[in-house]
Amino acid sequence: MRAKTAQDRQLLELIDPIAESLGLEVVRVRLMSGSKRQRLQIMAERPSDHDISVEQCAKLSRAVSEVFDAADPVAGEYLLEVSSPGIDRPLTRPIDFDLFEGEEARLETDRMIEGRKRFKGVLAGYEDGNVLIDLDGEDDTALIPFDWLADAKLVLTDALMKRGAAIRAARGEPEDDGLPEGAPDEATTDTKTPSEDNA
């Protein structure tokens, strides 16, 4: 789920070692088409505290741009966005479901499970290849195979916002980082293919 399409997976293979060299982990990579140009979105974080600074976003953006200028893995113009996963972050790795156990989440599967594909409830961890979730209105904990997930993300609740504020306070950071909501710690770079630069 860190990468959705075959091209996303190819890009992730290039980006992973770049991020690791900067002490970061890639949470998700998405190459999205737009009306004028494509957008390459990279979400990354420090493995130590699952956050990232504006400076680290900028460093990763520059490092990825350098490699991609040489490798040219994306045809045409694209906008490169590097950001933190945000408070209501996507859950893309098995470890995420243990890290955020007790938080509310929405899951979507790529196939029907008992007549539905969408699930909402409180995360109960990860075990033997399955995501455990206490579904709204149901007594039993549901087991959903991680490999069947198409999408998963935390639900923005008061408890989740308080958790984020507590983490920032523990690091001595201000409550409001001044960034627009929904685009935390983001570095954006305009990128062209080498052929366009030389034209």
Side-chain angles (χ1 to χ4, degrees), residues 4 7-8 38 42 118 127 144 150 170:
K4 207 165 195 174
Q7 186 168 20
D8 288 345
Q38 301 173 98
I42 302 171
R118 291 185 176 87
E127 193 176 291
I144 298 177

Side-chain angles (χ1 to χ4, degrees), residues 69-100:
D69 283 348
D72 196 16
V74 181
E77 286 191 18
Y78 62 96
L79 189 67
L80 174 61
E81 293 179 355
V82 178
S83 71
S84 80
I87 298 172
D88 53 340
R89 58 182 293 140
L91 306 166
T92 62
R93 305 160 296 182
I95 191 176
D96 293 337
F97 298 93
D98 280 331
L99 284 170
F100 296 97

Side-chain angles (χ1 to χ4, degrees), residues 2 12-26 45 47 60:
R2 291 197 306 148
L12 182 61
E13 285 179 12
L14 286 171
I15 297 165
D16 262 340
I18 302 169
E20 285 168 16
S21 72
L22 297 172
L24 300 170
E25 286 182 355
V26 177
E45 65 183 14
L60 181 56

Side-chain angles (χ1 to χ4, degrees), residues 29-166:
V29 169
R30 291 285 187 275
L31 182 63
M32 296 169 279
S33 57
S35 56
K36 292 185 178 178
R37 59 183 160 184
Q38 301 173 98
R39 192 159 55 102
L40 176 58
Q41 183 190 71
I42 302 171
M43 290 182 179
E45 65 183 14
R46 295 182 294 263
S48 58
D49 61 1
H50 308 287
D51 203 352
I52 190 170
S53 68
V54 175
E55 292 78 15
Q56 286 173 312
C57 284
K59 277 184 185 176
L60 181 56
S61 181
R62 285 193 296 270
V64 168
S65 292
E66 285 177 16
V67 171
F68 278 30
D69 283 348
D72 196 16
V74 181
E77 286 191 18
Y78 62 96
L79 189 67
L80 174 61
E81 293 179 355
V82 178
S83 71
S84 80
I87 298 172
D88 53 340
R89 58 182 293 140
L91 306 166
T92 62
R93 305 160 296 182
I95 191 176
D96 293 337
F97 298 93
D98 280 331
L99 284 170
F100 296 97
E101 185 175 345
E103 300 290 353
E104 210 172 313
R106 291 181 196 275
L107 312 181
E108 186 175 339
T109 56
D110 62 5
R111 65 201 77 185
M112 299 291 274
I113 301 176
E114 295 182 4
R116 60 176 172 160
K117 288 185 172 184
R118 291 185 176 87
F119 305 86
K120 183 184 174 192
V122 176
L123 294 176
Y126 180 87
E127 193 176 291
D128 298 328
N130 294 304
V131 172
L132 281 60
I133 184 167
D134 295 324
L135 297 173
D136 291 352
E138 296 187 20
D139 295 331
D140 296 330
T141 298
L143 275 68
I144 298 177
F146 176 78
D147 290 342
W148 291 9
L149 290 178
D151 194 36
K153 69 178 298 186
L154 294 179
V155 174
L156 191 58
T157 61
D158 288 343
L160 191 61
M161 287 193 285
K162 283 178 186 173
R163 175 180 173 154

